[in-house]
Amino acid sequence: MSYREFTWSKAKQDFGLQTIEGDRFFPVLPEVQPSSLLQEILKRNIPWAIAVGNEKARSEAIINPILLEVKQILEKKISVFSGEDFNVDPGAGLNGTCDFLVSKSPEQIAVEAPVLVVVEAKKEDLKRGMGQCLAEMVAAQRFNQANQQVIPTIYGSVSTGTVWRFLKLEDSIVTVDFTDYPVPPVEQVLSILVWITSNNSEKETD
């Protein structure tokens, strides 16, 4: 079994999760302006990715440039991994490849804790990817715990590149933001990703 085999219901049942469904759970955030380079990349890439239509094109042409922009904004203090094997607990089905992982460590050779965000690329149906994304979030939570880098919240996103939906996992509570954020414009998604990666810190321990 692997991440791709998880439906939303199976992930909730297997990992004993409770769900809160609602509106935006992010604070009001100042807009983060994209660089001229990102603007040009998206202007060129989005029509191509939409025309090609598959998940690989959308992830490479839209999602990856946005995540790398966040890395640049944060002065390379985070790491971004694409298509990385993330085998945390194969016995629980928490193994396989994640489309994107973002870690608070600047180490780019291998994934280091704490992992902050997982992003799952989908061709069109966001709901179909939510179970897989949730399983990957649980894996990130367990990976951080195993490496003694516990953070209060793991974030996830299921994205077509032009639409982003966000989730958060706190202990055993998963909250779904049913506000779907479009790209373009990219400012709102950039603001959210920068806020997540610059504000999520280790949980204090006694």
Side-chain angles (χ1 to χ4, degrees):
M1 187 169 179
S2 68
Y3 300 120
R4 291 189 177 275
E5 298 177 57
F6 279 98
T7 63
W8 182 257
S9 296
K10 180 170 178 55
K12 282 185 60 183
Q13 180 177 350
D14 283 9
F15 305 121
L17 304 175
Q18 301 176 48
T19 304
I20 299 174
E21 298 179 357
D23 298 322
R24 178 186 174 107
F25 49 64
F26 300 107
V28 177
L29 300 170
E31 280 194 352
V32 172
Q33 294 300 316
S35 65
S36 57
L37 176 60
L38 179 63
Q39 293 180 63
E40 182 59 32
I41 288 172
L42 295 180
K43 181 180 178 181
R44 182 179 67 241
N45 288 4
I46 287 176
W48 172 80
I50 291 173
V52 173
N54 62 46
E55 294 168 13
K56 184 173 184 293
R58 289 170 178 268
S59 64
E60 291 180 351
I62 307 174
I63 298 173
N64 195 49
I66 291 173
L67 294 177
L68 291 179
E69 178 86 351
V70 174
K71 178 179 172 71
Q72 190 66 32
I73 290 169
L74 296 179
E75 301 176 342
K76 302 181 181 179
K77 294 176 181 176
I78 62 170
S79 52
V80 176
F81 295 88
S82 174
E84 190 76 12
D85 287 338
F86 195 50
N87 300 320
V88 176
D89 187 351
L94 299 179
N95 61 284
T97 302
C98 294
D99 286 336
F100 295 97
L101 294 170
V102 179
S103 168
K104 202 171 182 67
S105 166
E107 170 68 57
Q108 198 63 74
I109 295 175
V111 179
E112 291 191 353
V115 173
L116 305 174
V117 189
V118 298
V119 181
E120 179 61 32
K122 285 298 165 195
K123 178 179 178 181
E124 49 190 20
D125 185 358
L126 296 184
K127 185 176 180 180
R128 188 168 58 87
M130 287 175 64
Q132 180 178 346
C133 183
L134 182 54
E136 292 169 0
M137 292 165 70
V138 171
Q141 188 182 62
R142 294 187 179 186
F143 177 77
N144 293 344
Q145 290 169 348
N147 287 278
Q148 300 180 333
Q149 294 284 330
V150 179
I151 57 175
T153 309
I154 304 294
Y155 288 91
S157 179
V158 183
S159 176
T160 65
T162 53
V163 178
W164 295 61
R165 180 179 296 170
F166 289 93
L167 307 82
K168 67 176 180 178
L169 177 65
E170 298 168 305
D171 295 322
S172 61
I173 306 296
V174 56
T175 306
V176 183
D177 180 351
F178 279 121
T179 305
D180 287 345
Y181 300 90
V183 173
V186 73
E187 285 84 352
Q188 191 166 209
V189 167
L190 270 183
S191 298
I192 290 170
L193 291 170
V194 168
W195 181 83
I196 288 172
T197 50
S198 59
N199 286 275
N200 213 348
S201 58
E202 294 181 31
K203 185 181 290 184
E204 293 183 3
T205 56
D206 295 332

Short mmCIF file of all heavy atoms in Angstrom, two decimals, residues 8 20 26 35 44 49 57-58 72 93-94 101-102 110 117-118 124 145 155 172 175 178 180 199:
data_model
loop_
_atom_site.label_atom_id
_atom_site.label_comp_id
_atom_site.label_asym_id
_atom_site.label_seq_id
_atom_site.Cartn_x
_atom_site.Cartn_y
_atom_site.Cartn_z
N TRP A 8 -10.15 9.68 1.30
CA TRP A 8 -10.35 10.54 2.47
C TRP A 8 -10.87 9.73 3.66
O TRP A 8 -10.35 9.84 4.78
CB TRP A 8 -11.33 11.65 2.12
CG TRP A 8 -11.58 12.63 3.22
CD1 TRP A 8 -12.69 12.69 4.02
CD2 TRP A 8 -10.72 13.69 3.64
NE1 TRP A 8 -12.56 13.72 4.92
CE2 TRP A 8 -11.37 14.35 4.70
CE3 TRP A 8 -9.46 14.13 3.23
CZ2 TRP A 8 -10.80 15.44 5.37
CZ3 TRP A 8 -8.89 15.22 3.88
CH2 TRP A 8 -9.57 15.86 4.93
N ILE A 20 -12.76 19.02 10.69
CA ILE A 20 -13.49 20.29 10.77
C ILE A 20 -13.52 20.86 9.36
O ILE A 20 -12.48 21.06 8.74
CB ILE A 20 -12.80 21.29 11.72
CG1 ILE A 20 -12.75 20.73 13.14
CG2 ILE A 20 -13.53 22.64 11.70
CD1 ILE A 20 -11.95 21.59 14.11
N PHE A 26 -6.71 30.90 7.50
CA PHE A 26 -5.54 31.75 7.58
C PHE A 26 -5.94 33.15 8.04
O PHE A 26 -7.06 33.60 7.78
CB PHE A 26 -4.85 31.85 6.21
CG PHE A 26 -4.38 30.54 5.67
CD1 PHE A 26 -5.02 29.92 4.62
CD2 PHE A 26 -3.28 29.91 6.23
CE1 PHE A 26 -4.59 28.70 4.12
CE2 PHE A 26 -2.83 28.68 5.76
CZ PHE A 26 -3.50 28.09 4.70
N SER A 35 8.04 38.02 -8.05
CA SER A 35 9.14 38.61 -8.81
C SER A 35 8.74 38.70 -10.28
O SER A 35 7.83 38.00 -10.75
CB SER A 35 10.40 37.76 -8.67
OG SER A 35 10.19 36.49 -9.26
N ARG A 44 4.02 32.43 -19.32
CA ARG A 44 4.43 31.52 -20.40
C ARG A 44 3.93 30.10 -20.16
O ARG A 44 3.50 29.41 -21.09
CB ARG A 44 5.95 31.53 -20.51
CG ARG A 44 6.48 30.65 -21.64
CD ARG A 44 7.99 30.71 -21.74
NE ARG A 44 8.63 30.11 -20.56
CZ ARG A 44 9.43 30.76 -19.74
NH1 ARG A 44 9.67 32.05 -19.92
NH2 ARG A 44 9.99 30.15 -18.70
N ALA A 49 0.56 24.41 -19.73
CA ALA A 49 0.19 23.36 -18.78
C ALA A 49 -1.29 23.02 -18.88
O ALA A 49 -1.68 21.84 -18.79
CB ALA A 49 0.53 23.80 -17.36
N ALA A 57 2.70 18.05 -16.07
CA ALA A 57 2.88 19.37 -16.68
C ALA A 57 2.49 20.47 -15.71
O ALA A 57 3.20 21.48 -15.57
CB ALA A 57 2.05 19.47 -17.96
N ARG A 58 1.38 20.30 -15.02
CA ARG A 58 0.91 21.31 -14.09
C ARG A 58 1.87 21.46 -12.91
O ARG A 58 2.14 22.57 -12.45
CB ARG A 58 -0.50 20.97 -13.60
CG ARG A 58 -1.57 21.14 -14.66
CD ARG A 58 -2.91 20.57 -14.24
NE ARG A 58 -3.94 20.79 -15.23
CZ ARG A 58 -4.77 21.82 -15.26
NH1 ARG A 58 -4.68 22.76 -14.33
NH2 ARG A 58 -5.67 21.94 -16.21
N GLN A 72 12.99 31.43 -2.44
CA GLN A 72 13.80 32.61 -2.72
C GLN A 72 13.42 33.77 -1.81
O GLN A 72 14.28 34.47 -1.27
CB GLN A 72 13.64 33.02 -4.18
CG GLN A 72 14.60 34.09 -4.65
CD GLN A 72 16.05 33.61 -4.64
OE1 GLN A 72 16.33 32.43 -4.87
NE2 GLN A 72 16.98 34.52 -4.36
N GLY A 93 1.12 2.05 5.49
CA GLY A 93 0.82 2.58 4.17
C GLY A 93 1.41 3.96 3.92
O GLY A 93 1.12 4.58 2.90
N LEU A 94 2.24 4.43 4.85
CA LEU A 94 2.83 5.76 4.72
C LEU A 94 4.17 5.66 3.99
O LEU A 94 5.24 5.83 4.57
CB LEU A 94 2.98 6.42 6.10
CG LEU A 94 1.67 6.61 6.87
CD1 LEU A 94 1.93 7.24 8.23
CD2 LEU A 94 0.68 7.46 6.06
N LEU A 101 7.37 18.36 -1.15
CA LEU A 101 7.55 18.51 0.28
C LEU A 101 8.32 19.80 0.52
O LEU A 101 9.26 20.12 -0.20
CB LEU A 101 8.37 17.35 0.86
CG LEU A 101 7.79 15.95 0.83
CD1 LEU A 101 8.87 14.93 1.22
CD2 LEU A 101 6.61 15.85 1.79
N VAL A 102 7.93 20.53 1.56
CA VAL A 102 8.65 21.74 1.97
C VAL A 102 9.10 21.55 3.41
O VAL A 102 8.29 21.23 4.29
CB VAL A 102 7.78 23.00 1.86
CG1 VAL A 102 8.57 24.23 2.32
CG2 VAL A 102 7.29 23.20 0.43
N ALA A 110 18.84 15.89 1.17
CA ALA A 110 17.90 14.90 1.67
C ALA A 110 16.87 15.60 2.54
O ALA A 110 17.14 16.66 3.11
CB ALA A 110 18.62 13.82 2.48
N VAL A 117 5.02 21.41 4.90
CA VAL A 117 3.94 21.42 3.91
C VAL A 117 4.13 20.27 2.93
O VAL A 117 5.25 19.97 2.52
CB VAL A 117 3.93 22.73 3.08
CG1 VAL A 117 2.67 22.82 2.21
CG2 VAL A 117 4.06 23.95 3.96
N VAL A 118 3.01 19.64 2.56
CA VAL A 118 3.01 18.72 1.43
C VAL A 118 2.03 19.27 0.40
O VAL A 118 0.98 19.81 0.75
CB VAL A 118 2.63 17.28 1.84
CG1 VAL A 118 3.63 16.72 2.82
CG2 VAL A 118 1.23 17.20 2.43
N GLU A 124 -7.37 17.76 -12.21
CA GLU A 124 -8.57 18.58 -12.12
C GLU A 124 -9.37 18.34 -10.84
O GLU A 124 -9.81 19.28 -10.20
CB GLU A 124 -9.47 18.34 -13.34
CG GLU A 124 -9.72 16.88 -13.65
CD GLU A 124 -10.39 16.66 -14.99
OE1 GLU A 124 -10.36 17.55 -15.85
OE2 GLU A 124 -10.98 15.57 -15.14
N GLN A 145 8.04 13.84 14.41
CA GLN A 145 8.08 13.28 15.76
C GLN A 145 9.27 12.34 15.92
O GLN A 145 9.98 12.38 16.93
CB GLN A 145 6.77 12.54 16.05
CG GLN A 145 5.56 13.46 16.20
CD GLN A 145 4.24 12.71 16.24
OE1 GLN A 145 4.18 11.52 15.93
NE2 GLN A 145 3.17 13.41 16.59
N TYR A 155 0.73 21.50 7.24
CA TYR A 155 -0.18 21.99 6.21
C TYR A 155 -0.08 21.13 4.96
O TYR A 155 0.97 20.54 4.67
CB TYR A 155 0.15 23.44 5.85
CG TYR A 155 -0.23 24.42 6.95
CD1 TYR A 155 0.68 24.76 7.94
CD2 TYR A 155 -1.51 24.97 7.00
CE1 TYR A 155 0.33 25.63 8.96
CE2 TYR A 155 -1.86 25.86 8.00
CZ TYR A 155 -0.94 26.19 8.98
OH TYR A 155 -1.29 27.05 9.99
N SER A 172 -4.70 15.23 16.10
CA SER A 172 -5.53 14.33 15.31
C SER A 172 -6.71 15.06 14.67
O SER A 172 -7.69 14.43 14.25
CB SER A 172 -6.06 13.19 16.19
OG SER A 172 -6.84 13.69 17.25
N THR A 175 -8.37 20.12 9.51
CA THR A 175 -9.28 21.19 9.11
C THR A 175 -9.13 21.43 7.62
O THR A 175 -8.01 21.54 7.11
CB THR A 175 -8.99 22.49 9.87
OG1 THR A 175 -9.02 22.23 11.28
CG2 THR A 175 -10.03 23.55 9.55
N PHE A 178 -12.41 25.24 2.55
CA PHE A 178 -13.09 25.03 1.29
C PHE A 178 -13.12 26.30 0.42
O PHE A 178 -13.89 26.39 -0.53
CB PHE A 178 -14.51 24.50 1.51
CG PHE A 178 -14.53 23.01 1.75
CD1 PHE A 178 -15.06 22.49 2.92
CD2 PHE A 178 -14.02 22.13 0.80
CE1 PHE A 178 -15.07 21.12 3.14
CE2 PHE A 178 -14.03 20.76 1.02
CZ PHE A 178 -14.56 20.25 2.19
N ASP A 180 -11.27 27.86 -2.38
CA ASP A 180 -10.29 27.47 -3.39
C ASP A 180 -9.62 28.73 -3.93
O ASP A 180 -10.29 29.66 -4.39
CB ASP A 180 -10.96 26.68 -4.52
CG ASP A 180 -11.35 25.28 -4.09
OD1 ASP A 180 -10.85 24.81 -3.04
OD2 ASP A 180 -12.15 24.64 -4.79
N ASN A 199 6.14 31.10 9.71
CA ASN A 199 5.54 31.21 11.04
C ASN A 199 5.42 29.89 11.78
O ASN A 199 5.23 29.90 12.99
CB ASN A 199 4.14 31.84 10.93
CG ASN A 199 4.19 33.31 10.65
OD1 ASN A 199 4.32 34.13 11.55
ND2 ASN A 199 4.12 33.68 9.37
#
